[in-house]
Amino acid sequence: MPEIEFDGHGSLSTTTESDRQHEYQRNIKDEICAHRAGVNCIAIDRFEGRYLISGGAEASVKLWDLAIATNTQYQFTNRPTAVVKKSATSHQYGVTHLCFYPFDSLAFISSSFDHKLKVYSTETMTASATFDLESVIYSHSLSPIASHLLVACATQHSAVRLVDLRSGSSTHSLAGHQRAVLSVAWSPHEEYILASGGSDGTTRLWDIRRSSNSLGVLDLEDSVGVVGEDGLGKNARHRNHGKAHTDAVNGVVWTDDGQYLVTASHDERVRVWDMSTGANALSHFGPTIQNTHLSTLLPLLVPSNILKPGKQAMFYPNQNEILMFDLFDGTLLKRLRFSGVAAAPVRGYTTQGGPRNRTTSLAWKAGDVGFYSAHSDGAIRAWVPVTPEDIEADKDMAQEANGDEDENRKRKRDALEEIFRDLTRQKITFT
């Protein structure tokens, strides 16, 4: 696989092989970044894994074609195929979250610090609908399985907001959190079940069909769960008190089988919950976890179909690195580190309290064993496993690249040896 860089400036994407060679031969000292003010979020379509969208701190949204870099041996610079710049009809402030439609990659949804939720056409990159929630939207979620088109929104308001894309209504809300809601996620197997995390330290579960909506909260001190009469929750009382974390919960993610929920918090803990009972699974990830930024921070769970049965793995977006853990026993499996570039400051955006190359978002590429990461230094990075074949190929390429240099060294060494032999044949007198 070629080394891929994302350059969000200059001309739009070019796809010919001669253009790729030109990109490969460019000055490698040029600073390359997708968004100069930082990348807040990314998303990849779940059908082909071909298109990536990125949202910047400067309010722009960019579309990237990941298939362009396929079957090229060169270092490749990917350029956006389309860009939505800050304007009167687009977002006015930094983009906070992005997601493709679950059933159609021809549309995607964006949210922003400007209080707006927008629906875009991927083909035209124009907004077909805009919802003003009159509050900062930290993240949103659209169910991957539901027949309804309800977008759950986590906002500065203490209630989860539901936007109905069919009717255009945004009046329904789920009250229960005491302060701002930072993260929401629909269950991948129960279309009416929703989880939310708030700055009050609670993680709540909701059934939007119920009149009271709330199913209760998760309690960090409960490692048994609510089992009910039959051990499966029958006639069990709902837990209405307790906290999942001791500080704000800004990340809520389901495993793809819906059996576990993963939460991340400002208390710098990641917890795993058995959703059959709501019990704390007591996974411990050690002291390496860092989480201090107000924005939503979502761990990336590796699809279960590429792992051994019974295994789950998690990539965690840490400050200056990405950490890979075993989800259940908390073992640190891998550290992925990177160097940053200088990102330009932008009005209304500050990096106080965190480094400029903070990891902001992770996205898995469908149909592949690899993922992409977004960073506050403006970069988007691609990650793939390194196989023994890759190592051998890299060695071969390095030997080819160094071939001319080795020949030059050999000629110099031969010349020096010849001079030394000539000198030793001569009679030398010291006076």
Side-chain angles (χ1 to χ4, degrees), residues 88-371:
T89 58
S90 62
H91 287 302
Q92 299 298 300
Y93 299 110
V95 180
T96 57
H97 196 77
L98 293 164
C99 73
F100 279 96
Y101 262 40
F103 310 115
D104 186 357
S105 60
L106 295 179
F108 66 90
I109 302 174
S110 66
S111 57
S112 168
F113 287 110
D114 65 6
H115 304 178
K116 304 292 197 306
L117 183 81
K118 290 181 177 288
V119 181
Y120 279 93
S121 164
T122 308
E123 291 184 321
T124 63
M125 295 297 279
T126 56
S128 58
T130 299
F131 302 88
D132 187 352
L133 300 191
E134 300 179 344
S135 183
V136 169
I137 307 171
Y138 295 111
S139 70
H140 60 267
S141 177
L142 192 58
S143 173
I145 60 168
S147 55
H148 64 71
L149 285 177
L150 294 175
V151 183
C153 298
T155 75
Q156 275 183 316
H157 195 272
S158 59
V160 177
R161 301 290 298 275
L162 297 180
V163 174
D164 190 338
L165 297 182
R166 283 200 176 97
S167 67
S169 170
S170 61
T171 58
H172 193 44
S173 60
L174 308 175
H177 288 284
Q178 300 302 307
R179 289 188 286 173
V181 184
L182 301 178
S183 183
V184 287
W186 290 99
S187 166
H189 279 263
E190 301 291 339
E191 63 177 323
Y192 296 105
I193 303 300
L194 177 73
S196 63
S199 56
D200 57 3
T202 64
T203 297
R204 291 187 171 271
L205 299 172
W206 313 87
D207 185 340
I208 62 172
R209 297 168 298 182
R210 296 166 55 96
S211 58
S212 62
N213 297 129
S214 178
L215 293 177
V217 300
L218 299 177
D219 185 357
L220 65 89
E221 297 182 355
D222 184 1
S223 60
V224 177
V226 180
V227 295
E229 296 174 358
D230 59 355
L232 299 175
K234 180 180 179 182
N235 295 328
R237 293 183 61 188
H238 298 300
R239 187 193 301 109
N240 294 314
H241 301 284
K243 290 188 175 184
H245 292 268
T246 59
D247 209 331
V249 180
N250 62 340
V252 176
V253 184
W254 296 82
T255 57
D256 55 12
D257 58 10
Q259 295 183 15
Y260 295 90
L261 186 74
V262 180
T263 57
S265 167
H266 285 180
D267 64 9
E268 301 195 326
R269 296 287 187 272
V270 172
R271 291 197 167 93
V272 181
W273 307 86
D274 183 345
M275 296 313 294
S276 63
T277 62
N280 183 353
L282 301 179
S283 298
H284 181 61
F285 299 95
T288 56
I289 298 294
Q290 296 174 320
N291 184 353
T292 58
H293 205 270
L294 182 62
S295 61
T296 302
L297 191 71
L298 300 178
L300 177 65
L301 304 184
V302 178
S304 58
N305 62 347
I306 67 173
L307 298 171
K308 294 180 179 179
K311 289 290 185 180
Q312 290 276 3
M314 172 187 75
F315 288 100
Y316 181 81
N318 223 30
Q319 296 282 29
N320 300 318
E321 60 189 353
I322 300 170
L323 305 176
M324 183 181 183
F325 292 98
D326 183 293
L327 186 62
F328 297 129
D329 63 26
T331 302
L332 178 60
L333 304 175
K334 188 74 174 176
R335 288 177 182 263
L336 305 177
R337 291 176 172 169
F338 46 82
S339 59
V341 298
V346 63
R347 183 179 179 183
Y349 181 78
T350 178
T351 59
Q352 285 185 342
R356 283 301 295 175
N357 57 346
R358 179 176 59 89
T359 306
T360 57
S361 182
L362 303 174
W364 193 267
K365 186 176 185 294
D368 203 351
V369 183
F371 67 96

